[in-house]
């Protein structure tokens, strides 16, 4: 069996935290898995564990000084180019701050900027430092750039306090790394279209019908697809979210606009995921001037918008089509009905009138229903990014069958 770490070139960045001693165990574990490990350290890390320890364990030179080494080679460029994955463990608040802002004042941070493959970061520090908004914002920047963050563990910290901030056990890091390597490139060569966010159906220049969708679910799907190597087109209704790195974003406002954008870009797509909350109805006409408040009651004629998902289902051209069902009750029955009626390959359901997640929240509690084998996965509440990963795990599984 071809194991994910066998012969993989792992670049391990070690920064100056007490957990640096665990990185020595990490190197041993990676070598046991037949990986080739090269270590880059900061000077502070070398105060906790000597470079010699890593040199002996990895059987490779340790990279620390920007100004030494073969003058014909630029270390940070060659080493970065030769590595399959870059993991920084432990990652201190200082290094996280630097790499999230593009600063490069040592060999390790230069390597981070020069490296183009998947990166995994294991933050490790005192819990007050970890929870400090500055550190959290820096981590969010990295997350949005598709860096894989492994949450620190909760427990006793070096300072004697108890809290979040411990570097996870090396075995768990290795497992996460194996998982990451398995997924990276899983969708390479695949074209994925995702819709996200709400639509706005204007009745006059200043008023519209809409819903509370933020775009978070769809944008998380786009990030997850990019991380797996897909070419991603994100068609987004109005949203405040930053563009998911590595994707092409097309901004739309109304259901009609979203429908046109989908039709214009659907050719050649392998997978389409319709996570947008598209308004079902729109005002039958849109007034050119603001409607005046000059009567007791006002009624408005509404007409159907195009059903974008239904339109794609009718094309039936080998596209793997994923629909979403936003429900307030009878989730499973409604999902099944929508999946069959709109000819979807997979349906993702969520309740939007509860505390389980849904509109606007960072979290979601989803159900995934397959058409092929009818398998229903009811998942617990998790972040939308985690939910996106679960959806892609299932898509990849179904595509393979
Ligand atoms: O954006 P967030 O704040 O993160 O919230 C996420 C979400 C709740 C919006 C998302 O998880 C979700 O459920 N999206 C689908 C919302 C929806 O419109 O569901 P629906 O059950 O009304 O529609 C079923 C499917 O048909 C959906 O895939 C929808 O995109 C599609 N549809 C609906 C109407 C229409 N005119 N055209 C469509 O394509």
């Amino acid at each position: 069996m071809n194991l994910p770490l066998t012969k993989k070139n792992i670049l391990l960045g070690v920064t100056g935290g007490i957990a640096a001693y665990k990185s020595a165990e990490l190197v041993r574990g990676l070598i046991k898995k037949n990986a080739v490990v090269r270590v880059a350290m900061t000077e502070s890390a070398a105060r906790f564990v000597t470079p010699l320890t890593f040199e002996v364990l990895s059987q490779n030179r340790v990279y620390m000084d920007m100004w030494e080494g073969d003058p014909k080679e630029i270390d940070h460029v060659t080493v970065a180019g030769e590595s399959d994955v870059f993991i920084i463990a432990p990652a201190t608040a200082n290094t996280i701050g630097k790499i999230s802002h593009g600063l490069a004042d040592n060999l390790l941070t230069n390597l981070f900027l020069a490296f183009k493959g998947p990166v995994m970061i294991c933050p490790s520090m005192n819990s007050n430092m970890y929870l400090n908004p500055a550190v959290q914002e820096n981590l969010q920047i990295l997350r949005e750039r598709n860096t894989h963050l492994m949450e620190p563990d909760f427990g006793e910290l070096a300072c004697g306090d108890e809290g979040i901030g411990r570097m996870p056990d090396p075995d768990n890091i290795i497992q996460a790394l194996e998982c990451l390597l398995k997924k990276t490139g899983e969708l390479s060569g695949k074209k994925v279209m995702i819709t996200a966010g709400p639509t706005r159906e204007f009745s006059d220049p200043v008023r519209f019908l809409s819903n509370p969708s933020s775009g978070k679910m769809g944008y998380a799907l786009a990030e997850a697809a990019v991380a797996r190597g897909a070419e991603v087109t994100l068609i987004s209704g109005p949203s405040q979210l930053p563009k998911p790195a590595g994707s092409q974003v097309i901004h739309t406002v109304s259901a009609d606009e979203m429908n046109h954008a989908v039709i214009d870009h659907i050719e050649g797509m392998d997978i389409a995921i319709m996570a947008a909350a598209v308004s079902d109805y729109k005002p039958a006409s849109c007034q050119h001037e603001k409607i005046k408040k000059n009567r007791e009651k006002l009624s408005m004629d509404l007409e159907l918008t195009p059903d974008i998902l239904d339109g794609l289902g009718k094309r039936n051209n080998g596209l793997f089509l994923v629909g979403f069902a936003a429900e307030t009750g009878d989730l499973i029955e409604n999902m099944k009905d929508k999946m069959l009626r709109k000819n979807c390959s997979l349906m993702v359901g969520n309740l939007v009138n509860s505390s389980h997640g849904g509109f606007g929240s960072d979290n979601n509690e989803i159900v995934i229903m397959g058409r092929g084998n009818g398998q229903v996965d009811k998942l617990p509440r998790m972040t939308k990014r985690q939910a996106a990963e679960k959806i892609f795990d299932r898509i990849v599984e179904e595509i393979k069958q």
Side-chain angles (χ1 to χ4, degrees):
M1 195 171 43
N2 193 11
L3 298 167
L5 285 169
T6 304
K7 294 201 177 134
K8 280 283 182 298
N9 290 303
I10 315 285
L11 177 58
L12 170 65
V14 183
T15 69
I18 181 67
Y21 79 92
K22 287 192 191 172
S23 309
E25 270 302 309
L26 182 57
V27 176
R28 269 168 60 96
L30 290 168
I31 297 284
K32 271 196 201 150
K33 296 264 180 180
N34 297 318
V36 179
V37 183
R38 281 194 286 188
V39 177
M41 301 176 80
T42 60
E43 279 184 19
S44 327
R47 289 178 176 250
F48 290 94
V49 185
T50 67
L52 185 62
T53 308
F54 289 111
E55 227 152 67
V56 172
L57 290 173
S58 70
Q59 294 288 295
N60 265 319
R61 179 187 143 202
V62 165
Y63 298 84
M64 202 168 94
D65 193 334
M66 292 247 282
W67 314 109
E68 68 175 21
D70 185 344
K72 286 194 234 79
E73 281 188 17
I74 305 171
D75 271 350
H76 62 275
V77 178
T78 32
V79 175
E82 287 164 4
S83 302
D84 296 305
V85 62
F86 188 9
I87 167 166
I88 306 183
T92 57
N94 184 39
T95 293
I96 290 167
K98 286 182 196 171
I99 60 177
S100 57
H101 287 86
L103 300 179
D105 65 348
N106 59 31
L107 188 54
L108 192 149
T109 46
N110 272 278
L111 276 165
F112 178 82
L113 289 187
F115 184 66
K116 286 171 81 180
V119 180
M120 194 165 122
I121 308 264
C122 300
S124 169
M125 63 199 79
N126 163 274
S127 55
N128 289 342
M129 288 173 76
Y130 179 69
L131 297 172
N132 186 294
V135 173
Q136 286 301 315
E137 273 173 31
N138 290 340
L139 289 171
Q140 187 55 24
I141 292 175
L142 293 173
R143 225 174 255 125
E144 280 161 12
R145 292 182 190 152
N146 274 323
T147 303
H148 300 268
L149 296 181
M150 194 167 174
E151 285 267 304
D153 283 348
F154 190 92
E156 197 186 323
L157 303 166
C159 54
D161 289 353
E162 196 162 87
I164 189 161
R166 282 169 64 87
M167 184 164 119
D169 281 343
D171 282 350
N172 294 343
I173 297 178
I174 290 172
Q175 240 179 43
L177 206 54
E178 283 180 322
C179 218
L180 171 67
L181 283 169
K182 251 195 259 166
K183 284 179 181 168
T184 311
E186 212 169 37
L187 291 177
S188 73
K190 297 270 185 236
K191 291 187 170 187
V192 178
M193 173 189 280
I194 295 161
T195 64
T199 61
R200 288 180 181 172
E201 311 303 329
F202 280 84
S203 56
D204 72 14
V206 292
R207 300 185 183 95
F208 53 81
L209 293 176
S210 191
N211 60 66
S213 169
S214 60
K216 286 180 184 172
M217 191 64 245
Y219 279 55
L221 283 160
E223 280 171 19
V226 169
R228 290 182 193 223
E231 195 181 310
V232 178
T233 303
L234 175 64
I235 298 179
S236 174
S239 167
Q240 301 296 318
L241 299 175
K243 170 186 185 290
S247 60
Q248 184 199 7
V249 183
I250 294 155
H251 295 281
T252 58
V253 177
S254 65
D256 280 306
E257 273 180 37
M258 189 174 271
N259 189 38
H260 283 130
V262 166
I263 292 169
D264 285 351
H265 291 86
I266 198 65
E267 210 49 56
M269 289 290 161
D270 300 290
I271 300 166
I273 310 177
M274 301 287 110
V278 185
S279 186
D280 289 326
Y281 289 94
K282 63 179 180 182
S285 63
C286 176
Q287 305 302 310
H288 292 299
E289 299 290 336
K290 184 180 169 195
I291 300 169
K292 293 287 175 220
K293 194 172 100 181
N294 54 10
R295 58 208 117 168
E296 267 307 301
K297 281 188 179 174
L298 178 68
S299 58
M300 192 181 283
D301 278 340
L302 300 178
E303 62 183 32
L304 279 170
T305 57
D307 193 316
I308 307 169
L309 179 61
D310 191 62
L312 290 185
K314 288 200 168 86
R315 294 167 73 101
N316 203 7
N317 56 354
L319 179 73
F320 191 91
L321 182 59
V322 182
F324 263 73
E327 305 296 341
T328 53
D330 299 330
L331 184 59
I332 302 289
E333 293 72 24
N334 284 318
M335 283 176 71
K336 197 181 264 175
D337 172 60
K338 278 183 184 161
M339 182 170 68
L340 297 177
R341 223 168 4 95
K342 302 194 182 194
N343 200 18
C344 299
S345 323
L346 201 75
M347 203 72 193
V348 180
N350 45 196
L351 287 169
V352 286
N353 59 338
S354 66
S355 55
H356 301 261
F359 289 126
S361 165
D362 287 334
N363 301 307
N364 210 357
E365 197 176 308
I366 58 165
V367 175
I368 307 178
M369 182 185 282
R371 179 145 182 193
N373 55 12
Q375 186 189 321
V376 175
D377 293 334
K378 292 184 187 177
L379 301 173
R381 187 177 156 90
M382 57 183 75
T383 64
K384 283 185 173 162
R385 179 58 199 270
Q386 287 166 336
E389 294 292 347
K390 296 283 180 197
I391 294 166
F392 276 109
D393 284 347
R394 185 68 187 271
I395 293 173
V396 168
E397 205 179 288
E398 301 247 343
I399 285 177
K400 272 190 204 147
Q401 283 172 4

